[in-house]
């Protein structure tokens, strides 16, 4: 794994020891950022199931001002810190060991708000939509925030989730990336929130 583009382009990223994490491949990462960026003019990102930290680090490399990384596993937290140091981005990052629900509550207390959120929960957990709703209810999302939800291709989340509408979906073998836009009032009545769908071979 490496940083695909931006200020830290080409820098290698460590994997989490063991087989408990499922890092986003460089191929999927490159396609994902071409859909949501590919570059950013500042803003704040949240990588809620950080794993290696690869997605949040890529966002920082491509222009996000700050990123918060959260994971439950100590090995993941150590890997995120090592990767931030290797990419010289640690000064723009906060790293917390916590589960997703508690992290959302803690970030609410700190008054944090995010323009971009990565949700890549373990495939056995089908609660990405619940986490999105919690982020909205706790006031953690800027208007028009982008949510990137990775999930197994055999499971599909609704196209519309209260306050969110799906704008893109791409399939990469066993992994599907669903991209949602947050709009507290819902998509406008002209139908501009329509979805595009891509299918890509592994």
């Amino acid at each position: 794994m490496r940083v695909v583009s931006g200020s830290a382009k080409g820098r290698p990223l460590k994997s989490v020891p063991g087989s408990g994490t499922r890092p986003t491949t460089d191929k999927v990462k490159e396609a994902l950022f071409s859909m949501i960026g590919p570059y950013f003019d500042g803003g704040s990102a949240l990588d809620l199931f950080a794993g290696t930290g690869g997605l949040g680090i890529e966002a920082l490399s491509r222009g996000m001002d700050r990123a918060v990384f959260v994971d439950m596993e100590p090995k993941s937290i150590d890997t995120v810190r090592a990767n931030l140091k290797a990419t010289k981005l640690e000064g723009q990052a906060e790293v917390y060991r916590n589960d997703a629900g508690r992290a959302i509550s803690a970030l609410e207390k700190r008054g944090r708000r995010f323009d971009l959120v990565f949700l890549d929960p373990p495939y056995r957990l089908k609660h990405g939509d619940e986490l999105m709703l919690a982020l909205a209810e706790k006031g953690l999302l800027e208007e028009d925030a982008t949510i990137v939800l990775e999930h197994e291709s055999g499971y599909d989340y609704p196209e519309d989730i209260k306050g969110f509408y799906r704008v893109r979906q791409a399939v990469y073998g066993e992994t599907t990336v669903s991209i949602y836009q947050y709009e507290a009032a819902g998509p406008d009545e002209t139908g501009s929130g329509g979805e595009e769908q891509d299918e890509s071979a592994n």
Side-chain angles (χ1 to χ4, degrees):
M1 292 188 303
R2 63 192 174 91
V3 179
V4 177
S5 191
S7 64
K9 180 179 179 179
R11 292 190 180 271
L13 299 174
K14 291 183 178 181
S15 297
V16 179
S19 57
T21 61
R22 186 191 64 256
T24 303
T25 66
D26 288 351
K27 173 189 170 183
V28 173
K29 195 158 52 176
E30 189 163 15
L32 187 163
F33 278 90
S34 74
M35 290 187 280
I36 65 171
Y39 300 100
F40 308 102
D41 184 17
S44 187
L46 171 63
D47 196 345
L48 197 52
F49 296 86
T52 66
L55 292 174
I57 287 171
E58 189 75 32
L60 288 173
S61 180
R62 291 172 183 253
M64 280 277 164
D65 289 324
R66 297 200 58 78
V68 173
F69 298 82
V70 177
D71 205 286
M72 267 295 291
E73 298 300 323
K75 288 181 180 179
S76 290
I77 293 298
D78 291 343
T79 302
V80 170
R81 291 190 189 281
N83 285 334
L84 284 165
K85 187 173 182 180
T87 53
K88 303 187 187 324
L89 293 168
E90 65 264 49
Q92 295 171 253
E94 299 168 50
V95 184
Y96 301 108
R97 181 173 175 242
N98 214 335
D99 68 42
R102 288 177 181 173
I104 288 171
S105 295
L107 290 166
E108 177 195 17
K109 290 175 183 175
R110 292 176 190 154
R112 300 301 301 271
R113 292 174 70 87
F114 299 97
D115 304 279
L116 175 62
V117 178
F118 299 104
L119 295 177
D120 187 11
Y123 282 175
R124 70 180 184 277
L125 302 177
K126 315 292 190 198
H127 68 333
D129 48 355
E130 296 172 20
L131 292 170
M132 289 164 61
L133 291 171
L135 288 164
E137 288 165 5
K138 300 289 189 182
L140 297 185
L141 300 176
E142 298 285 2
E143 186 73 15
D144 296 325
T146 297
I147 312 294
V148 177
L149 175 61
E150 286 193 46
H151 53 96
E152 64 178 333
S153 297
Y155 184 82
D156 199 20
Y157 284 95
E159 185 174 335
D160 293 302
I161 298 167
K162 185 181 179 183
F164 303 86
Y165 60 95
R166 193 168 65 200
V167 292
R168 294 290 294 272
Q169 187 175 70
V171 181
Y172 304 94
E174 296 179 354
T175 298
T176 293
V177 176
S178 296
I179 298 172
Y180 289 86
Q181 204 80 27
Y182 175 61
E183 193 172 289
D188 64 47
E189 295 176 4
T190 63
S192 63
E195 176 192 4
E196 298 176 38
Q197 184 151 346
D198 302 327
E199 292 206 8
S200 303
N202 217 3

